[in-house]
């Protein structure tokens, strides 16, 4: 799978999330390792969701993992907290905001 194919699929999964009641600003950067290597970000701002194929310099949290780990999380087949616990995903930044990724995934 290429980065473009991966990003298109993951964006379609994230964009179904209802974030209209989330007033807090969340900015996540995802660093994809291995196959489909690349970077994308997910931002919740003023109740709107943005998913873009760019680096986000003012991020709250940076997640790093293999493409298949991110896809399993987006498909709700792997809990993001469990991915971190099992060391399948590295997390840097604000851990309180990192934990909200689970809520975002559940809303998709």
């Amino acid at each position: 799978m290429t980065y473009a194919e991966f990003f298109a699929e993951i964006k379609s999964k994230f964009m179904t999330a209802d974030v209209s009641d989330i007033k807090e600003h969340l900015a996540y950067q995802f660093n994809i390792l291995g196959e489909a290597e690349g970077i994308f970000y997910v931002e919740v701002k003023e109740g709107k969701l943005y998913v873009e194929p760019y680096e986000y310099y003012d991020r709250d949290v940076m997640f790093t993992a293999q493409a298949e780990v991110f896809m399993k999380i987006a498909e709700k087949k792997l809990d993001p907290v469990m991915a971190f616990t099992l060391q399948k995903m590295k997390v840097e930044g604000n851990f309180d905001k990192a934990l909200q990724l689970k809520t975002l995934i559940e809303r998709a």
Side-chain angles (χ1 to χ4, degrees), residues 36-79:
E37 183 173 335
I39 295 172
F40 71 96
Y41 75 84
V42 174
E43 179 182 31
V44 177
K45 183 177 181 181
E46 299 173 358
K48 293 184 180 173
L49 180 68
Y50 304 90
V51 181
E52 298 297 335
Y54 309 111
E55 190 163 356
Y56 195 101
Y57 294 102
D58 196 23
R59 62 190 168 257
D60 299 311
V61 184
M62 183 168 58
F63 299 100
T64 304
Q66 299 288 324
E68 56 268 12
V69 172
F70 288 136
M71 193 58 71
K72 285 180 183 178
I73 289 170
E75 293 171 341
K76 302 175 189 168
K77 294 178 181 175
L78 178 62
D79 181 279

Side-chain angles (χ1 to χ4, degrees), residues 1-15:
M1 178 180 290
T2 67
Y3 169 77
E5 293 167 335
F6 173 81
F7 178 73
E9 191 170 335
I10 204 108
K11 182 174 183 173
S12 71
K13 292 182 184 318
F14 270 107
M15 291 307 292

Side-chain angles (χ1 to χ4, degrees), residues 27-32 39-40 55-56 59-65 70 84 89-95 98:
Y28 299 135
Q29 179 173 309
F30 295 84
N31 297 339
I32 308 155
I39 295 172
F40 71 96
E55 190 163 356
Y56 195 101
R59 62 190 168 257
D60 299 311
V61 184
M62 183 168 58
F63 299 100
T64 304
F70 288 136
F84 173 73
M89 179 172 66
K90 194 168 133 184
V91 179
E92 296 176 46
N94 183 322
F95 276 84

